[in-house]
Amino acid sequence: MEVGGVGTAGAELSDPRFEILVARLGADLVMGGPEIARYCRDWHGDVTTGAVAVIRPRTTADVSAAVKVIGELGLSIVPQGGNTGLVLGATPDDPAGQVVISLERMTAIRRLDADDFSAVVEAGIVLSEFKDKVEAAGLYFPLALGAQGSCRIGGNVSTNAGGINVLRYGMTRDLVLGLEVVLPDGSIFDGLSTLRKDNRGIDLKQLFIGAEGTLGIVTAVSVKLMPPAEQVATALLGLNALSDAIALYRRARRDCCDLMSAFEFMPPVAFTLAREAMPDLAMPMSGDYPAYVLMEISGSGLVDIEDLMQRFLQGVMEEGLVLDGVVAGSRAQARNLWLFREGMNEGQAKRGPHLRTDVSVPLSKLADFVRQAEEAVMAALPECLCVSYGHVGDGNVHLNVLPPAGLSRGEVDGIIYQAKGLINAVLARFGGSISAEHGIGRLKKTDFLSGLPETQAHLLSAIKRAVDPHIIMNPGCQLNFTTDS
Ligand SMILES: Cc1cc2nc3c(=O)[nH]c(=O)nc-3n(C[C@H](O)[C@H](O)[C@H](O)COP(=O)(O)OP(=O)(O)OC[C@H]3O[C@@H](n4cnc5c(N)ncnc54)[C@H](O)[C@@H]3O)c2cc1C
């Protein structure tokens, strides 16, 4: 795997294994040559690699046939959705031994049932397209993340994606009712039930949620749908400190109860970063504050959301917990506020390679964790910029470290490695998780394995070997399996 390079190993069209794949599966499904470069690059473009082929099935039967042939050829499989994962789970690491299976052509909504509040959808549909179609049917699918215009529902299931609405609706796991999965021997696990309650023993679908393609290929998903949020109130609030944001969150949980759907923390540099990516963004507030919260409450039916937001803000401003705030007066204004939150990600990417973390600690310890981790980084690497933000309501923070401009790639990698070690050491003291949302993939495998208790490692290995005895599925991801282990 080449880090920071330009495209290398495209599929060799003369590779006999490529020719067998084409002969057995048909040229329509099998892609090779330079065309596959985009499937072999991670989202940031930091890592470029290659594969024997990319297979793009149209049906579950196609996936099953492909898995069987790939197994017979002694190759392994890297499943891919929208390729927006940030931990290299969908990026091959053995160009001569791996085939990417992209679900991008399996996009049908098989059923959408307004009476059951459920849908059955194929794994390759882009999340935002699915949400739009659900909305057109008068319902709502609450999974919402910055990558929703590109990520696909099978990828969301396989990473157990979180996003901005977790505090109200839970992670993807909480939204899944059933799965259809092609197993490593090509057989099909048909668990596409839409039952809300089904307590017949061990819930097998849970094995595949968050498995990052290491146990099978998710081909379809049945999900819960919700009534649409007819009223949404979005506010950007200026505060004195992150600790006040946490106090505000506790207060909002009490005053706005289950109607709060998002509560994001941003530092002041968020606005600079967002405007580096989107220069036309108009500044929403005139003053500068040490900390910002982007908060949303939403509901439908007889509840008056606007009134609730006004009364809530009046109380917390009178108490001095919130120094200043703007409430969006329209959907367009609300969208503009969210663009700062989304744009700050792009702004960081524009500044070049940097350390991206996705950690969680108990909410009560979040402010102390961020302070101590930032202090540790600044003491050792004073020339760097720490950018801490995230889904505060879930105790989930992205504490990113941006090296100064003008360094070589080797120097940047050294800083990233050092900063990660410093942050992980503080995280361990707080009993936190190195992966709140993004999974393990290939990027976090070493850190994951070094902290994995023996009993847990044994259980995970036993499950992997029982489901995938020939180690065909995504061998470099999560655990340390290879095809010949
Ligand atoms: C700007 C941006 C913002 C983001 N924000 C969030 C956020 O708020 N919350 C969050 O949780 N994540 C976030 N992410 C990360 C990413 O979008 C999620 O992890 C998403 O769920 C990945 O979906 P995908 O379709 O792109 O999966 P991919 O990146 O293609 O794959 C991810 C993993 O799942 C496996 N996989 C993919 N499809 C299948 C399948 N059908 N069957 C079996 N295995 C499969 C892959 O092998 C890989 O291991 C963000 C990413 C970006 C770029």
Side-chain angles (χ1 to χ4, degrees):
M1 185 180 293
E2 180 183 334
V3 177
V6 192
T8 48
E12 273 300 328
L13 296 177
S14 55
D15 184 333
R17 299 166 307 173
F18 178 80
E19 282 161 16
I20 293 170
L21 287 169
V22 174
R24 296 275 296 275
L25 301 171
D28 173 49
L29 300 195
V30 185
M31 187 191 265
E35 263 187 307
I36 72 165
R38 73 183 174 91
Y39 301 88
C40 299
R41 209 173 19 237
D42 76 310
W43 185 80
H44 282 101
D46 289 352
V47 174
T48 306
T49 167
V52 174
V54 172
I55 296 180
R56 299 184 306 145
R58 293 184 185 276
T59 64
T60 303
D62 287 346
V63 177
S64 168
V67 169
K68 284 180 187 156
V69 183
I70 292 167
E72 284 166 29
L73 290 172
L75 298 168
S76 59
I77 296 167
V78 179
Q80 195 172 95
N83 201 13
T84 68
L86 301 172
V87 291
L88 307 180
T91 312
D93 56 1
D94 175 12
Q98 287 172 340
V99 174
V100 172
I101 295 190
S102 166
L103 278 293
E104 69 187 1
R105 297 208 283 202
M106 291 184 59
T107 59
I109 295 180
R110 293 189 189 165
R111 200 166 73 235
L112 206 160
D113 192 325
D115 293 332
D116 269 355
F117 283 90
S118 69
V120 178
V121 60
E122 290 188 344
I125 194 164
V126 169
L127 176 59
S128 61
E129 280 173 29
F130 177 54
K131 287 168 71 84
D132 288 349
K133 287 188 174 148
V134 167
E135 196 181 319
L139 291 164
Y140 177 58
F141 183 60
L143 184 63
L145 46 148
Q148 66 188 26
S150 308
C151 64
R152 296 172 191 269
I153 198 87
N156 301 143
V157 169
S158 302
T159 57
N160 185 27
I164 56 173
N165 288 335
V166 171
L167 54 93
R168 176 144 168 201
Y169 298 101
M171 307 271 285
T172 300
R173 189 183 298 282
D174 300 293
L175 302 171
V176 172
L177 294 170
L179 291 181
E180 178 187 83
V181 183
V182 173
L183 299 176
D185 64 356
S187 60
I188 298 166
F189 166 76
D190 180 359
L192 275 181
S193 159
T194 54
L195 293 175
R196 301 277 160 155
K197 286 188 168 176
D198 184 3
N199 235 349
R200 290 175 288 178
I202 291 174
D203 185 1
L204 286 173
K205 69 173 179 293
Q206 300 296 349
L207 275 181
F208 304 98
I209 302 174
E212 298 181 89
T214 58
L215 297 178
I217 301 180
V218 175
T219 45
V221 189
S222 47
V223 293
K224 293 178 193 167
L225 302 178
M226 313 289 164
E230 288 153 354
Q231 307 169 45
V232 181
T234 310
L236 178 71
L237 309 172
L239 281 71
N240 248 332
L242 173 57
S243 52
D244 282 357
I246 290 158
L248 182 71
Y249 174 74
R250 286 200 202 98
R251 180 67 190 273
R253 281 300 303 258
R254 207 187 61 200
D255 286 1
C256 308
C257 54
D258 289 344
L259 297 171
M260 187 163 56
S261 43
F263 194 95
E264 300 284 309
F265 167 74
M266 298 189 293
V269 73
F271 299 96
T272 311
L273 290 164
R275 278 152 61 103
E276 282 174 17
M278 305 174 186
D280 294 338
L281 272 182
M283 284 300 283
M285 283 161 92
S286 47
D288 290 329
Y289 301 95
Y292 293 85
V293 160
L294 184 55
M295 169 183 174
E296 197 167 270
I297 54 177
S298 57
S300 51
L302 302 177
V303 186
D304 187 341
I305 291 292
E306 201 183 315
D307 177 61
L308 178 60
M309 179 65 101
Q310 289 300 347
R311 282 189 293 135
F312 171 69
L313 289 183
Q314 193 179 349
V316 290
M317 288 179 93
E318 276 169 15
E319 286 168 29
L321 200 51
V322 170
L323 304 178
D324 192 9
V326 284
V327 180
S330 65
R331 278 191 173 221
Q333 280 179 14
R335 181 76 203 117
N336 199 54
L337 295 181
W338 276 106
L339 281 179
F340 281 101
R341 172 65 178 83
E342 290 159 22
M344 70 176 293
N345 281 339
E346 276 182 53
Q348 291 172 84
K350 275 189 143 210
R351 288 200 182 185
H354 55 276
L355 174 69
R356 296 178 290 272
T357 71
D358 163 42
V359 302
S360 61
V361 294
L363 182 63
S364 55
K365 297 179 178 170
L366 190 73
D368 285 343
F369 163 72
V370 170
R371 185 177 44 76
Q372 290 186 29
E374 286 193 353
E375 278 172 9
V377 173
M378 293 324 293
L381 299 164
E383 70 282 15
C384 291
L385 173 68
C386 288
V387 184
S388 300
Y389 62 104
H391 316 303
V392 161
D394 310 317
N396 178 190
V397 62
H398 303 298
L399 201 171
N400 295 351
V401 180
L402 280 55
L407 300 183
S408 70
R409 183 61 211 234
E411 289 168 324
V412 167
D413 287 346
I415 286 178
I416 289 176
Y417 183 78
Q418 191 183 352
K420 186 179 72 166
L422 292 164
I423 292 170
N424 283 351
V426 180
L427 187 66
R429 292 207 301 272
F430 281 80
S433 165
I434 58 161
S435 183
E437 290 197 317
H438 296 166
I440 300 300
R442 291 169 173 79
L443 194 65
K444 294 190 178 174
K445 194 168 68 173
T446 309
D447 295 325
F448 171 61
L449 293 176
S450 70
L452 194 61
E454 203 183 320
T455 313
Q456 209 166 314
H458 176 72
L459 267 176
L460 289 171
S461 293
I463 292 169
K464 173 74 176 173
R465 288 187 186 282
V467 181
D468 184 16
H470 304 297
I471 318 294
I472 287 171
M473 294 305 311
N474 220 356
C477 186
Q478 286 196 356
L479 294 175
N480 255 340
F481 288 105
T482 63
T483 31
D484 29 61
S485 66

